[in-house]
Amino acid sequence: MEDIQIFERSLKDFEYFNDFQCFLNLKKNARVRATHVKKRHPRFNPLTDLNEHKFRLKYRYTKENLRRIIEIVRDDLEIEYFEPLKREQVPIDLQILSAIRLWGGTEHPKLTAMAHGVSLRTLAKITRRVASVLSSKASRYIRMPATLSEKERSGSAFQAIANMPQVIGALLQTTVRFQTENCATDLDREELFPNREELHIQIVCDAAHKIRDLDIRLIEEHSMLTDTEMFGLSKIKDRFEQNEFRGRILLGNEMVRCSSSLFTPVRFPRNQSEELYNHAHAVTYASARKCLNLLMSRFGILGAEIQGSHGSAKQTITALAILHNMAMEWADPSIDTEQNISPFNSTFFNSTGRSTKSGEDNNRRQFIKTHFAS
């Protein structure tokens, strides 16, 4: 009987010990969880955490205008919300802000990623997605004047500059470098031999420095085409040949050949009429160089190197052209829009320096005789 009582006490002691062990384990697990749970801080929000001056320096727009951009892009970006981005819980607003700050090129990409609490790899995914959504709106924000009233307004704005009639756009070409993805898979590691390529960009702008037409082509390694040949491949040339703009003309620099729709400076003026024409051409054409200068000043990445494939680089350039047009439309003051562009410095933005002989065009001679004769 006594042995049975001893055995029962032992069982109770064992139960007490077991309960005590469970209690210790619970305390231990609580301490482990406490060490792993980080205190959550509010995520950095540049729209509220930066003053207006610092915000403009970093994001190249006023706060008001960037909020407008966010509202334009938000819905489309939410529809195609990436699964990896969902896991990292990057808010839509912050995705757009981080992409635009990266494109501004005011700092190293690592600093941009750190400022927004994301990795470089995530930042690359964000910028590609934002560029894709923005570029899908190209037909709305990048278009030539279509109606008669739009064409007349565009012509009047150009004529007001230096009394050059019938102009509907100014054409300029340049190049942008990009690094293909197969050599840029790890953004944290610099490759010794990166595969860098170039895109040829042709823009047509209006007198208000907005981009009206954009043509982007890969420069093939073994086919060094001249700017004239690049123009010949563009859709805008076909549209002029089909008489869509009815007697109106484009202005180009000396790197392209003069034609019935594209007027260039007279290389060797022989009389006062041609000199007057050249002066009016130079002053009017300065709007194209100022347009490109403003675009590249706002988005420093265009003067450096775009990371990604050929397709994503084209989407990025298109997105930047759209953002540029928005800035021009809203008169955004974040960069110096009153830059002094000399109308007679016509070689600064030439893409390759490959000159071609200027065609002696009867249309241009008749145009000079009609509008610039003494």
Side-chain angles (χ1 to χ4, degrees):
M1 185 70 181
E2 184 177 339
D3 291 336
I4 293 175
Q5 290 176 345
I6 293 172
F7 178 71
E8 288 176 347
R9 284 198 302 270
S10 297
L11 282 178
K12 286 187 177 180
D13 290 339
F14 180 77
E15 290 174 359
Y16 294 150
F17 178 77
N18 198 32
D19 291 340
F20 180 71
Q21 281 288 93
C22 291
F23 173 74
L24 288 179
N25 288 336
L26 286 172
K27 288 190 69 176
K28 182 180 178 181
N29 291 337
R31 284 196 303 271
V32 169
R33 284 196 301 270
T35 57
H36 284 83
V37 174
K38 296 180 180 179
K39 185 178 180 181
R40 291 185 178 273
H41 296 282
R43 188 186 285 269
F44 170 67
N45 184 351
L47 288 169
T48 56
D49 297 342
L50 293 180
N51 63 38
E52 183 70 28
H53 175 68
K54 289 184 178 179
F55 185 89
R56 292 184 187 186
L57 288 177
K58 292 295 184 183
Y59 294 90
R60 323 304 282 159
Y61 287 88
T62 64
K63 290 184 179 182
E64 178 187 356
N65 286 338
L66 233 167
R67 287 190 179 99
R68 295 167 78 173
I69 294 171
I70 289 170
E71 290 308 310
I72 290 170
V73 178
R74 182 197 301 278
D75 290 345
D76 293 327
L77 205 57
E78 285 178 341
I79 291 172
E80 300 291 341
Y81 202 6
F82 271 148
E83 284 297 324
L85 302 184
K86 282 183 179 179
R87 288 197 294 271
E88 292 204 23
Q89 297 182 340
V90 184
I92 296 294
D93 295 17
L94 207 61
Q95 291 184 45
I96 300 165
L97 286 162
S98 62
I100 291 177
R101 181 161 167 172
L102 177 71
W103 293 332
T106 59
E107 61 193 5
H108 193 281
K110 287 184 178 180
L111 296 178
T112 304
M114 289 173 59
H116 297 87
V118 297
S119 66
L120 271 175
R121 191 175 295 277
T122 299
L123 180 60
K125 292 175 182 177
I126 288 171
T127 52
R128 284 197 297 269
R129 186 59 203 148
V130 175
S132 175
V133 169
L134 275 167
S135 62
S136 68
K137 303 179 183 296
S139 60
R140 176 182 173 186
Y141 290 99
I142 303 176
R143 63 182 187 87
M144 291 291 289
T147 65
L148 179 60
S149 61
E150 287 177 343
K151 293 172 184 176
E152 288 178 347
R153 281 198 302 271
S154 180
S156 297
F158 274 113
Q159 189 165 0
I161 297 173
N163 202 30
M164 176 77 83
Q166 298 176 214
V167 179
I168 198 171
L171 179 141
L172 192 143
Q173 299 166 328
T174 189
T175 58
V176 170
R177 291 179 298 164
F178 73 99
Q179 183 174 320
T180 52
E181 284 182 325
N182 60 328
C183 293
T185 53
D186 188 354
L187 294 176
D188 295 304
R189 184 178 69 249
E190 291 292 331
E191 296 293 336
L192 292 177
F193 304 103
N195 182 20
R196 292 183 171 89
E197 299 185 69
E198 285 189 330
L199 290 171
H200 180 275
I201 302 175
Q202 175 181 283
I203 66 171
V204 174
C205 76
D206 62 18
H209 314 118
K210 292 177 67 175
I211 296 171
R212 291 295 193 163
D213 187 77
L214 179 66
D215 187 85
I216 307 170
R217 295 180 185 274
L218 179 66
I219 298 177
E220 300 290 346
E221 186 176 355
H222 303 294
S223 60
M224 298 294 286
L225 299 178
T226 65
D227 288 353
T228 296
E229 290 168 326
M230 287 292 192
F231 173 66
L233 295 173
S234 63
K235 292 181 179 179
I236 193 68
K237 180 178 182 292
D238 294 337
R239 293 173 68 181
F240 273 92
E241 287 183 347
Q242 294 165 9
N243 201 27
E244 180 178 337
F245 302 104
R246 299 189 179 278
R248 295 172 178 84
I249 59 171
L250 294 173
L251 297 184
N253 60 20
E254 71 280 358
M255 302 304 295
V256 291
R257 182 176 290 115
C258 184
S259 67
S260 59
S261 59
L262 179 62
F263 283 12
T264 61
V266 176
R267 190 173 293 275
F268 303 108
R270 294 164 294 191
N271 52 54
Q272 186 180 13
S273 297
E274 291 181 348
E275 289 177 354
L276 290 171
Y277 163 83
N278 273 3
H279 182 273
H281 183 289
V283 175
T284 308
Y285 185 75
S287 62
R289 288 185 289 109
K290 183 172 182 179
C291 172
L292 186 57
N293 195 24
L294 292 172
L295 174 68
M296 299 186 77
S297 295
R298 192 178 299 275
F299 302 112
I301 194 173
L302 292 173
E305 189 173 78
I306 297 175
Q307 298 282 352
S309 65
H310 170 218
S312 66
K314 286 183 67 173
Q315 287 184 337
T316 298
I317 295 167
T318 304
L320 299 185
I322 291 171
L323 290 170
H324 165 83
N325 282 355
M326 290 176 180
M328 294 298 100
E329 179 72 24
W330 302 332
D332 189 281
S334 301
I335 63 170
D336 181 14
T337 56
E338 299 302 322
Q339 301 172 33
N340 184 22
I341 306 295
S342 171
F344 305 104
N345 178 20
S346 59
T347 60
F348 182 74
F349 285 119
N350 286 340
S351 57
T352 61
R354 300 189 303 276
S355 181
T356 183
K357 293 182 180 179
S358 178
E360 286 298 325
D361 183 73
N362 290 330
N363 294 70
R364 184 179 65 184
R365 281 200 296 268
Q366 186 60 44
F367 181 84
I368 294 173
K369 182 179 178 180
T370 303
H371 301 287
F372 294 94
S374 301

